[in-house]
Amino acid sequence: MGSKVMCFHPWSDLTLPLMSLAEIRAVIDKWVELTVELGASYPWVQIFENKGAMMGCSNPHPHCQVWASNFLPNEAQLEDRTQRQHLQERGVPLLLEYARLEAQRKERLVVENADWLVVVPYWAVWPFQTLLLPRRHVCRLQELSDSEKDSLASIMKRLLTKYDNLFEVSFPYSMGWHGAPTGPRLGADCGHWQLHAHYYPPLLRSAAVRKFMVGYEMLAQAQRDLTPEQNSKSNWTYYGYLHSPWRPKGGAHLRGSWSFLKGQAEILE
């Protein structure tokens, strides 16, 4: 098993929504590079970010981790099986069909651009859980075009800014990318796969109130505090794409304020 830690920026107080589009694009390019490097040998390359102490992040410097394993983890096996079954039964990749339906109905749509959309999936159990999907059929990060990487940087900045503005806090979450297996399966038919990213934030009603998966939810069935439709319509459309000039206690993000001012001049697609 291989693992790497990747810092997003030289500044230790600059999170992704406070970075410029060019800086976020550099992060995406590095994700692609690491996927290709580790995916040459390992069947599964898991890129993930745990943001904030609430999600168990012990290093405050904004960063992500990359774990590469010589087996398919449980979630990857489940997604591989269900996506393969859907393609066999319906002749179209599951998440590609799902993205088209959500784009048409706009019931759970959070934000979109020409190449990507973010939805609150109908199966969401975390209050502000989202799913980031490409509009065309893409199996792995390395298959994205330059323009798709640019628009990915744009939609990530918009989504994460909405998160931060929601409770005026550097919004905690765990996120990660899922794509077709790599390593020995690079040459296999993985047309049933669709690249996507999951975002799992823990906050519920405020910056201090989080959701806990305990009791009945651990032993029987997860409970929804908000329906996906309530989440997408009531809580997201109000919050804009420019970072609000709030500042956490203790003077953090002082240098980030420069990025906020600079970001206001950027046209976000």
Side-chain angles (χ1 to χ4, degrees):
M1 188 166 183
S3 62
K4 293 179 181 288
V5 175
M6 171 185 150
C7 292
F8 293 146
H9 197 278
W11 292 354
S12 62
D13 60 356
L14 205 62
T15 57
L16 283 170
L18 290 171
M19 290 165 55
S20 70
L21 292 179
E23 290 167 338
I24 299 173
R25 169 63 195 268
V27 170
I28 294 168
D29 287 339
K30 192 64 179 179
W31 283 343
V32 172
E33 179 184 324
L34 291 173
T35 301
V36 171
E37 174 190 335
L38 295 171
S41 305
Y42 293 96
W44 189 254
V45 179
Q46 183 60 67
I47 298 170
F48 65 95
E49 178 193 4
N50 294 325
K51 183 187 176 193
M54 190 176 288
M55 300 309 294
C57 183
S58 58
N59 186 344
H61 195 130
H63 67 284
C64 70
Q65 299 181 57
V66 186
W67 290 14
S69 59
N70 57 8
F71 60 92
L72 287 190
N74 292 343
E75 290 296 314
Q77 288 187 45
L78 178 61
E79 290 193 2
D80 185 64
R81 184 171 65 252
T82 54
Q83 290 182 98
R84 186 185 299 276
Q85 180 180 350
H86 186 89
L87 181 64
Q88 291 172 348
E89 293 176 354
R90 297 183 59 86
V92 61
L94 187 155
L95 290 178
L96 182 62
E97 183 175 19
Y98 178 63
R100 289 172 180 169
L101 289 171
E102 290 287 15
Q104 291 170 5
R105 296 178 180 177
K106 299 188 183 299
E107 294 174 342
R108 291 173 287 266
L109 189 64
V110 176
V111 63
E112 62 181 331
N113 63 21
D115 299 312
W116 300 86
L117 68 157
V118 177
V119 300
V120 180
Y122 70 85
W123 59 85
V125 294
W126 291 96
F128 301 100
Q129 179 179 336
T130 55
L131 183 67
L132 172 59
L133 294 160
R135 291 186 184 272
R136 74 172 181 94
H137 188 202
V138 182
C139 294
R140 301 180 179 93
L141 276 170
Q142 54 265 46
E143 297 175 15
L144 296 174
S145 67
D146 284 339
S147 63
E148 287 170 330
K149 293 174 192 174
D150 287 340
S151 59
L152 175 57
S154 173
I155 205 165
M156 283 176 57
K157 185 176 177 73
R158 292 167 66 183
L159 171 65
L160 299 180
T161 298
K162 280 176 171 285
Y163 272 149
D164 279 8
N165 287 349
L166 185 57
F167 296 134
E168 295 189 339
V169 67
S170 186
F171 210 77
Y173 58 76
S174 282
M175 70 78 63
W177 284 98
H178 283 174
T182 50
R185 297 181 63 172
L186 280 171
D189 181 8
C190 291
H192 55 291
W193 270 90
Q194 176 74 334
L195 178 70
H196 59 283
H198 296 278
Y199 284 84
Y200 299 113
L203 295 182
L204 177 55
R205 297 185 184 91
S206 72
V209 178
R210 62 165 296 170
K211 178 180 177 65
F212 291 94
M213 290 284 193
V214 296
Y216 186 88
E217 294 187 275
M218 292 182 67
L219 298 167
Q221 181 175 318
Q223 302 297 294
R224 290 189 172 114
D225 302 273
L226 295 168
T227 69
E229 292 77 18
Q230 288 173 327
N231 186 337
S232 61
K233 290 185 181 297
S234 301
N235 297 291
W236 290 91
T237 55
Y238 174 76
Y239 298 96
Y241 303 141
L242 294 179
H243 209 281
S244 298
W246 56 269
R247 293 290 173 264
K249 293 180 181 179
H253 290 264
L254 290 178
R255 285 177 291 185
S257 62
W258 174 83
S259 181
F260 159 66
L261 293 172
K262 183 177 69 170
Q264 290 193 75
E266 296 175 338
I267 300 176
L268 305 183
E269 299 178 350

